Amino acid sequence: MTRIKANIIFIMGVSGVGKSTIGNLLSEELNLPFFDGDDFHPEDNILKMSKGEALNDNDRLGWLQTLNKLAIKQLANKGCIIVCSALKESYRTILSLDIQQHVKWVFLHGSFEQIKERMNSRKDHFMSSNLLKSQFDTLEEPQNAIHIDISLTPNNIIKVIHKELVEKSEFGLFGLGVMGKSLSRNLANNGFKISLFNRHVDGVEVDVAKNFKNEFEELSTALPFDSIKSFVGSLQTPRKIMLMVNAGKIVDYVIEDLLPFLEAGDILIDGGNSNYNKTKERFHYLKSKNIHFVGTGVSGGEEGALKGPSIMPGCDKDVYKDIQPFLEAIAAKDDNNLPCCTHIGTEGSGHFVKMVHNGIEYVEMQLLAEVFVMLKALGNNPDEIADILESWKETTNSYLLEITIDILRKKEGNDWLVNQIMDKAGNKGTGNWTTIATAELGIPSTMIATALFARYTSFYKDERVLASQNFEENTNPNLNITNADVLKAYQFARIINHYQGFKLINEASKSYNWDLNLSELARIWTNGCIIKSDLMVELVTVFKTTDNMLTDKTIIEKLKTVKPSIKKVVSEGVLNELPISNFSESINFLNSFSVANSSANLIQAQRDYFGAHTYQRINDASNKFYHTDWKNN
């Protein structure tokens, strides 16, 4: 006898395919209790079917709920096998409610003539062969199931099921870099049997998957590979393979390497930081080959990937159902213990929101760097700055604030380590992509662009040193501000940053017909990701009633309260020549955004003067366009 981890195995198909026979045999093979769903039909249903009348959805609802309760009860022990026709996807949703990640489907199928002949030869069964056509008409073939042709003998059917459920893995990880390794361990710790792949390069990458498996006890049942064919063949169908490789052409190369071994209905999940435009292309390219592609943002770094990241999958809704049990099991949990993972939208939406997440992250990091500049200018050393930031956690906590405190307290010898780090900030492209996207969509996410350019500026170290000499850097600033002023200015700038980021996401949702849910997106960013914060928790509620933060009364009052401080801090920063570009941009943006009549009328007149671009008049409600010969008075 063979045992597998606790699961509920539903054997489904129209009446007459041999579900009960296979269920009994599989019960003996796997040493699991067997239940025939027909035994749980209420008397009314049995009477109706015996009269040759087809059951409707109302008839089935109570029966399906009863079987779901049975499954939940049996799962607490060692699982079981349940035979049930489960003809519709909606029926299967009810049957697997609250236990999706523990449900396995076996679909027995055959031709109408073959099954009708079987049914006509049966005795003492309430299901008439006359009802078979209605069952075929109702049947919605499952995607996420083991499909078995009933022309096989019962013993061979059991062998196929055994191989798929016991010998094969549920999920594959392709690429064992830092994130791939952490996600692999996370999946294994959540009870999934996984296959691991890493390429073989003589003398460089040899037996990577095998050696990694041997490092950790939780990977004892994992299957390691450096052959793509063997790796793909080790997975249950439809296959679910998560690609954890570097963004760019490598993703395309990997897809082409995998394609010869994939079958219709298989699912590829790109968990890297791919450009959303490329994800849209890959999505449609693979759809033409009947392969599903899921562009998935993953945030949380190495620790998050291991303990629970925030996950942002973009794909068709029915495909998400197939990968939902895996992704939601390994995701971080919010304050209500709900997974920080949700279906984002289709095409490249998952990678788009991850890209903007990183853009918001760029700004949050830059703001803390500018806070560091100002508090240092006020005479504080890194330890003292860390203490100040520690006091901010009560009202303005975030993951980035917490790690900044840890960084500032780290010493190497008698000096703080931060003082020994070269002031050249790198980037991996997502900030650049976000800035391009905000320009293409016409959204003023100015703080993201400013944070990106601050990193670019930092990279010119030699030229900056020369400029500091040529322009006599102010090394003795005299700031007329308090720590409380800096905190309030920081709170102001963070609200504007989040407004701009979510504004960009909302515009993309409209432009690409993604129908993104801002409140749900904020919710999955309340834990597991780099930009989790108390403010993000607040935004979950804000976005339930508006898609514009600057119309929320609470947000408006907060900005009004702290606005005097941002004006004071930025003014003092400019007067003392401190590089606080993102703080400055936050108040500049609101100043330009919160005026009813801007200077753009002069710009439009200039455009009409040299390019005859025309303009509209404020005293003409018809929206008519005018052109003027500006040289003649």
Side-chain angles (χ1 to χ4, degrees):
M1 294 181 183
T2 306
R3 286 293 309 276
I4 61 174
K5 74 171 187 176
N7 274 318
I8 304 301
I9 303 171
F10 282 104
I11 300 179
M12 62 162 290
V14 299
S15 184
V17 293
K19 297 189 294 294
S20 297
T21 299
I22 298 304
N24 275 304
L25 290 173
L26 191 61
S27 172
E28 294 177 11
E29 174 72 14
L30 301 180
N31 190 29
L32 290 175
F34 167 73
F35 300 94
D36 192 327
D38 285 346
D39 295 338
F40 293 82
H41 269 298
E43 287 296 327
D44 288 346
N45 285 7
I46 295 174
L47 179 61
K48 190 172 184 178
M49 288 186 288
S50 66
K51 293 179 179 179
E53 300 176 24
L55 299 180
N56 58 39
D57 286 357
N58 287 334
D59 296 327
R60 290 189 177 94
L61 179 58
W63 172 59
L64 294 170
Q65 291 172 334
T66 297
L67 293 180
N68 173 249
K69 291 176 182 176
L70 170 66
I72 292 172
K73 181 179 179 181
Q74 291 299 316
L75 188 61
N77 184 11
K78 60 180 181 178
C80 69
I81 297 164
I82 299 176
V83 161
C84 174
S85 55
L87 299 178
K88 289 185 179 181
E89 181 64 28
S90 59
Y91 302 166
R92 297 189 285 273
T93 298
I94 296 170
L95 289 167
S96 59
L97 186 65
D98 296 329
I99 55 171
Q100 292 95 334
Q101 73 182 79
H102 299 285
V103 169
K104 303 295 178 184
W105 296 96
V106 176
F107 174 45
L108 303 179
H109 61 89
S111 69
F112 179 86
E113 292 74 18
Q114 181 183 20
I115 298 170
K116 183 177 180 181
E117 183 179 343
R118 283 191 179 193
M119 291 182 66
N120 288 336
S121 65
R122 294 193 306 182
K123 297 179 181 179
D124 303 323
H125 193 275
F126 57 75
M127 172 66 78
S128 164
S129 63
N130 294 331
L131 294 178
L132 182 59
K133 185 178 185 305
S134 71
Q135 290 213 342
F136 265 88
D137 291 341
T138 302
L139 175 64
E140 297 171 2
E141 292 196 6
Q143 288 189 337
N144 192 17
I146 302 169
H147 288 233
I148 302 179
D149 193 319
I150 61 171
S151 60
L152 295 174
T153 65
N155 284 337
N156 283 335
I157 289 176
I158 296 303
K159 287 180 182 178
V160 171
I161 297 173
H162 183 281
K163 183 176 182 180
E164 287 290 324
L165 291 183
V166 179
E167 299 175 27
K168 291 192 174 184
S169 299
E170 303 168 90
F171 199 90
L173 254 293
F174 189 109
L176 296 175
V178 171
M179 291 291 284
K181 286 181 175 179
S182 292
L183 287 172
S184 297
R185 293 179 60 197
N186 191 341
L187 283 159
N189 281 324
N190 275 280
F192 296 113
K193 185 176 179 182
I194 59 176
S195 287
L196 308 170
F197 173 88
N198 200 85
R199 65 179 182 173
H200 175 94
V201 181
D202 287 336
V204 180
E205 295 181 72
V206 179
D207 291 334
V208 172
K210 183 178 179 181
N211 293 336
F212 172 56
K213 165 192 163 70
N214 293 333
E215 279 186 64
F216 299 98
E217 184 179 350
E218 62 264 32
L219 297 175
S220 60
T221 63
L223 304 178
F225 298 93
D226 58 12
S227 159
I228 290 179
K229 181 179 180 180
S230 300
F231 167 71
V232 175
S234 73
L235 296 167
Q236 296 174 12
T237 55
R239 300 172 183 89
K240 304 160 192 73
I241 300 173
M242 192 163 193
L243 311 180
M244 297 304 300
V245 298
N246 292 333
K249 291 299 295 181
I250 250 184
V251 177
D252 297 309
Y253 297 147
V254 167
I255 288 172
E256 293 305 319
D257 287 343
L258 285 166
L259 271 177
F261 309 106
L262 299 179
E263 298 174 1
D266 287 348
I267 303 169
L268 295 183
I269 307 164
D270 179 8
N273 274 335
S274 290
N275 185 294
Y276 77 99
N277 285 310
K278 293 300 296 181
T279 298
K280 289 168 70 175
E281 291 176 13
R282 292 165 185 146
F283 177 91
H284 291 291
Y285 167 66
L286 287 170
K287 179 170 277 193
S288 71
K289 297 181 178 296
N290 295 316
I291 304 296
H292 303 297
F293 190 67
V294 186
T296 303
V298 180
S299 177
E302 179 181 5
E303 183 177 358
L306 177 61
K307 298 180 180 178
S310 175
I311 307 178
M312 299 147 254
C315 57
D316 291 336
K317 278 190 176 180
D318 57 341
V319 175
Y320 180 67
K321 291 179 182 178
D322 292 339
I323 60 175
Q324 182 177 4
F326 303 94
L327 299 188
E328 293 192 359
I330 66 174
K333 303 300 182 287
D334 67 11
D335 288 343
N336 295 313
N337 203 36
L338 296 173
C340 290
C341 173
T342 191
H343 177 250
I344 299 298
T346 189
E347 296 182 327
S349 59
H351 277 142
F352 185 91
V353 299
K354 175 56 166 59
M355 176 191 75
V356 180
H357 165 287
N358 286 18
I360 295 171
E361 174 188 308
Y362 270 49
V363 179
E364 294 293 285
M365 295 170 71
Q366 180 64 26
L367 288 175
L368 283 165
E370 293 176 12
V371 165
F372 176 60
V373 165
M374 288 185 281
L375 294 181
K376 187 165 63 171
L378 287 170
N380 299 288
N381 65 36
D383 267 335
E384 291 167 335
I385 295 173
D387 289 340
I388 294 168
L389 298 186
E390 186 77 41
S391 71
W392 291 8
K393 288 168 64 175
E394 186 175 343
T395 59
T396 316
N397 199 21
S398 69
Y399 170 77
L400 285 169
L401 183 73
E402 291 176 351
I403 69 167
T404 302
I405 292 168
D406 290 341
I407 290 167
L408 293 174
R409 286 180 173 154
K410 185 73 172 180
K411 281 194 170 183
E412 188 175 76
N414 295 323
D415 194 11
W416 290 274
L417 179 56
V418 69
N419 292 338
Q420 303 304 316
I421 297 175
M422 177 66 71
D423 55 329
K424 293 168 68 173
N427 72 91
K428 289 189 175 181
T430 48
N432 181 38
W433 296 343
T434 313
T435 301
I436 292 171
T438 197
E440 289 177 338
L441 290 168
I443 300 300
S445 301
T446 54
M447 293 184 71
I448 294 173
T450 300
L452 174 68
F453 294 143
R455 291 196 188 190
Y456 288 167
T457 301
S458 76
F459 213 74
Y460 290 90
K461 176 68 173 179
D462 293 340
E463 292 184 40
R464 288 192 292 108
V465 170
L466 180 61
S468 73
Q469 297 165 356
N470 291 337
F471 294 96
E472 300 178 0
E473 178 183 358
N474 181 9
T475 56
N476 294 296
N478 182 25
L479 290 173
N480 183 28
I481 56 175
T482 65
N483 294 344
D485 290 327
V486 179
L487 169 59
K488 291 176 182 177
Y490 175 61
Q491 292 169 334
F492 178 97
R494 292 189 66 231
I495 291 173
I496 300 299
N497 175 32
H498 284 71
Y499 164 75
Q500 292 186 350
F502 278 97
K503 178 71 173 174
L504 175 56
I505 291 170
N506 194 48
E507 183 61 31
S509 177
K510 294 175 182 176
S511 296
Y512 301 129
N513 297 313
W514 284 340
D515 193 27
L516 305 184
N517 184 327
L518 298 187
S519 177
E520 182 68 354
L521 184 56
R523 184 192 67 77
I524 68 169
W525 285 350
T526 59
N527 199 12
C529 71
I530 304 302
I531 60 173
K532 67 177 183 179
S533 66
D534 294 344
L535 174 58
M536 195 66 74
V537 174
E538 184 179 346
L539 294 182
V540 177
T541 301
V542 169
F543 286 127
K544 285 182 178 178
T545 57
T546 181
D547 59 8
N548 181 352
M549 284 173 57
L550 297 187
T551 62
D552 180 81
K553 291 182 179 179
T554 302
I555 296 293
I556 292 170
E557 287 306 311
K558 282 188 177 182
L559 286 174
K560 286 181 176 180
T561 299
V562 297
K563 189 176 180 182
S565 292
I566 187 74
K567 292 194 293 185
K568 183 178 180 182
V569 164
V570 169
S571 298
E572 286 293 311
V574 172
L575 290 171
N576 286 275
E577 302 175 3
L578 295 183
I580 53 170
S581 56
N582 259 109
F583 272 84
S584 177
E585 183 51 45
S586 68
I587 184 60
N588 285 337
F589 170 79
L590 190 63
N591 285 345
S592 64
F593 197 71
S594 59
V595 293
N597 297 300
S598 73
S599 59
N601 56 340
L602 178 58
I603 292 173
Q604 195 60 22
Q606 292 168 336
R607 295 181 73 242
D608 187 54
Y609 189 109
F610 64 72
H613 292 293
T614 73
Y615 57 89
Q616 294 170 286
R617 298 181 65 97
I618 60 175
N619 60 353
D620 185 348
S622 70
N623 293 323
K624 177 182 175 181
F625 285 86
Y626 294 82
H627 169 61
T628 295
D629 182 356
W630 296 93
K631 292 182 180 180
N632 298 315
N633 291 326

